[in-house]
Amino acid sequence: MTSAALILSLLLSFSGFAALALSLDRHHRAAYRVGVPKARVGSLRMAGWCGLGLSFAAAVAVAGWNFGPVQWVGSLTGSALAVVAIVAYRPTWLRTAALAALPLAAAAVPLALLG
């Protein structure tokens, strides 16, 4: 397991948890200053679960079935803590951080697969 693989899994799970948090009216209102539109709830939830699924797939693809799920649970814990801290202290930063995590994860893919 390389650090790039852990970062990839962490960034994907962070984006997933951020999308799930933004699908809730309370967190969406804190980040955007308006309630979440009904049409956006489903897409945010789908994006969130897809992010968590991609995080699991990346962890298993890089670290294998022996250590991949363990790495995934660790990345879930770290990313959930980061989302909770951002929502609690700077909720308007959540959308920016989640969107910034996606290109960083895309950049980490080749590094994770080579290592």
Side-chain angles (χ1 to χ4, degrees):
M1 175 192 69
T2 63
S3 59
L6 183 61
I7 290 171
L8 172 63
S9 182
L10 187 69
L11 289 170
L12 288 172
S13 59
F14 177 81
S15 293
F17 276 131
L20 287 174
L22 288 173
S23 73
L24 300 173
D25 190 55
R26 179 178 179 172
H27 301 311
H28 195 279
R29 190 175 301 278
Y32 287 99
R33 307 282 189 238
V34 295
V36 61
K38 298 286 185 199
R40 193 179 297 173
V41 171
S43 61
L44 281 171
R45 287 185 183 163
M46 181 64 73
W49 285 111
C50 286
L52 294 179
L54 285 173
S55 172
F56 178 74
V60 170
V62 172
W65 281 102
N66 292 333
F67 191 66
V70 176
Q71 176 185 334
W72 180 64
V73 170
S75 68
L76 286 180
T77 304
S79 62
L81 180 64
V83 168
V84 166
I86 290 174
V87 166
Y89 295 108
R90 299 282 184 194
T92 56
W93 290 6
L94 185 62
R95 60 182 176 206
T96 307
L99 290 175
L102 292 175
L104 291 173
V109 169
L111 297 173
L113 292 177
L114 290 177

